[in-house]
Amino acid sequence: EPEVTQTPSHQVTQMGQEVILRCVPISNHLYFYWYRQILGQKVEFLVSFYNNEISEKSEIFDDQFSVERPDGSNFTLKIRSTKLEDSAMYFCASSERTGDSSPLHFGNGTRLTVT
Amino acid sequence: KQEVTQIPAALSVPEGENLVLNCSFTDSAIYNLQWFRQDPGKGLTSLLLIQSSQREQTSGRLNASLDKSSGRSTLYIAASQPGDSATYLCAVTPGNTGKLIFGQGTTLQVKP
């Protein structure tokens, strides 16, 4: 069964550094998402992306975050200047379409540790 | 603002028991509701999706129900097995954008 793949599985970075988290969504999916889960907290929506544009973003997704689909297969999340509170598990997801019948498929996540 | 709550936070049962996990949401204007399974250190696996017009969905030993008017969903697991041990997450889609709002999850342990 096709799946969403994320790399790396674990990233350690120093405060103030830039990180890029990478995702390969399922090939026929058109809608892409990033979520995060801080340890012990709920999974939170960050951003949705369709047709090379952000379609919705949360309050968390401020100017230090950006997303890009640099080619036909990858979907990336960049954090420009990491803070300690950015430490979390970041999940990429994709769906074939939106609407009431299209489930989201999630990757295994990238654990980001900011020291 | 939509809030999703799951009760109980943790549950431990002996193998073979039938069990029910509960999910409630504050705003009944949803497109769908999804139940996910999360294993430690892993991603989220979609178990069931109930569209807003549906009352329930079934997959194998899992049955999920939805009562939009009361803002509630239940996940019923029949004849539980140790392999069912995981965290179960409920999430609602408030609009037609694919954005999900999650509950905090119920961590299930099934003892052999």
Side-chain angles (χ1 to χ4, degrees), chain A residues 31 33 35 37 41-45 48 55-58 89 91 95 98-109 111, chain B residues 3-5 31-32 34 36 38 41-46 49-53 89 93 96-104:
Chain A
Y31 297 82
Y33 314 87
Y35 287 78
Q37 186 177 31
Q41 298 188 20
K42 292 183 180 183
V43 177
E44 302 173 288
F45 169 78
S48 58
S55 40
E56 187 173 358
K57 61 182 181 179
S58 71
M89 183 76 95
F91 294 108
S95 64
T98 61
D100 64 357
S101 64
S102 187
L104 267 65
H105 297 261
F106 282 79
N108 280 338
R111 180 170 298 284
Chain B
E3 296 278 348
V4 181
T5 303
Y31 270 68
N32 63 46
Q34 288 184 245
F36 292 89
Q38 185 176 29
K42 300 284 189 179
L44 283 66
T45 301
S46 181
L49 180 149
I50 310 177
Q51 298 176 39
S52 60
S53 57
L89 300 173
T93 306
N96 193 24
T97 62
K99 170 184 172 181
L100 292 172
I101 298 175
F102 283 85
Q104 73 271 37

Side-chain angles (χ1 to χ4, degrees), chain A residues 3 19 54 80 111:
Chain A
E3 55 183 30
V19 294
I54 290 174
R80 261 180 271 285
R111 180 170 298 284

Side-chain angles (χ1 to χ4, degrees), chain A residues 2-48:
Chain A
E3 55 183 30
V4 176
T5 57
Q6 290 186 243
T7 55
S9 56
H10 192 188
Q11 174 97 42
V12 181
T13 189
Q14 290 191 325
M15 197 167 50
Q17 296 297 304
E18 174 183 287
V19 294
I20 297 176
L21 310 184
R22 302 181 191 279
C23 169
V24 178
I26 295 173
S27 62
N28 65 330
H29 285 187
L30 301 176
Y31 297 82
F32 315 113
Y33 314 87
W34 284 100
Y35 287 78
R36 80 173 185 188
Q37 186 177 31
I38 295 170
L39 189 64
Q41 298 188 20
K42 292 183 180 183
V43 177
E44 302 173 288
F45 169 78
L46 292 178
V47 65
S48 58

Side-chain angles (χ1 to χ4, degrees), chain A residues 55-109:
Chain A
S55 40
E56 187 173 358
K57 61 182 181 179
S58 71
E59 294 171 352
I60 304 167
F61 195 87
D62 60 22
D63 291 344
Q64 67 161 157
F65 292 93
S66 62
V67 289
E68 193 178 32
R69 188 153 162 84
D71 53 43
S73 58
N74 290 284
F75 180 51
T76 62
L77 174 69
K78 182 192 290 186
I79 309 175
R80 261 180 271 285
S81 177
T82 51
K83 305 171 191 167
L84 294 175
E85 55 264 36
D86 294 328
S87 295
M89 183 76 95
Y90 287 81
F91 294 108
C92 174
S94 68
S95 64
E96 200 170 342
R97 57 191 179 278
T98 61
D100 64 357
S101 64
S102 187
L104 267 65
H105 297 261
F106 282 79
N108 280 338

Side-chain angles (χ1 to χ4, degrees), chain B residues 64-80:
Chain B
S65 68
L66 173 64
D67 184 342
K68 263 185 56 175
S69 59
S70 66
R72 285 190 275 190
S73 176
T74 61
L75 179 67
Y76 174 82
I77 303 177
S80 58

Side-chain angles (χ1 to χ4, degrees), chain B:
Chain B
K1 182 186 171 188
Q2 180 73 271
E3 296 278 348
V4 181
T5 303
Q6 291 185 247
I7 294 173
L11 183 63
S12 180
V13 299
E15 182 177 3
E17 262 199 22
N18 303 324
L19 57 101
V20 174
L21 308 181
N22 296 291
C23 172
S24 62
F25 46 96
T26 54
D27 187 342
S28 62
I30 62 170
Y31 270 68
N32 63 46
L33 182 144
Q34 288 184 245
W35 283 93
F36 292 89
R37 169 185 173 137
Q38 185 176 29
D39 292 285
K42 300 284 189 179
L44 283 66
T45 301
S46 181
L47 297 173
L48 290 163
L49 180 149
I50 310 177
Q51 298 176 39
S52 60
S53 57
Q54 297 175 324
R55 299 281 296 182
E56 65 177 340
Q57 280 287 338
T58 297
S59 176
R61 294 182 294 108
L62 306 179
N63 175 277
S65 68
L66 173 64
D67 184 342
K68 263 185 56 175
S69 59
S70 66
R72 285 190 275 190
S73 176
T74 61
L75 179 67
Y76 174 82
I77 303 177
S80 58
Q81 302 170 358
D84 294 330
S85 299
T87 296
Y88 291 81
L89 300 173
C90 163
V92 299
T93 306
N96 193 24
T97 62
K99 170 184 172 181
L100 292 172
I101 298 175
F102 283 85
Q104 73 271 37
T106 293
T107 298
L108 172 67
Q109 183 184 33
V110 181
K111 297 179 181 176

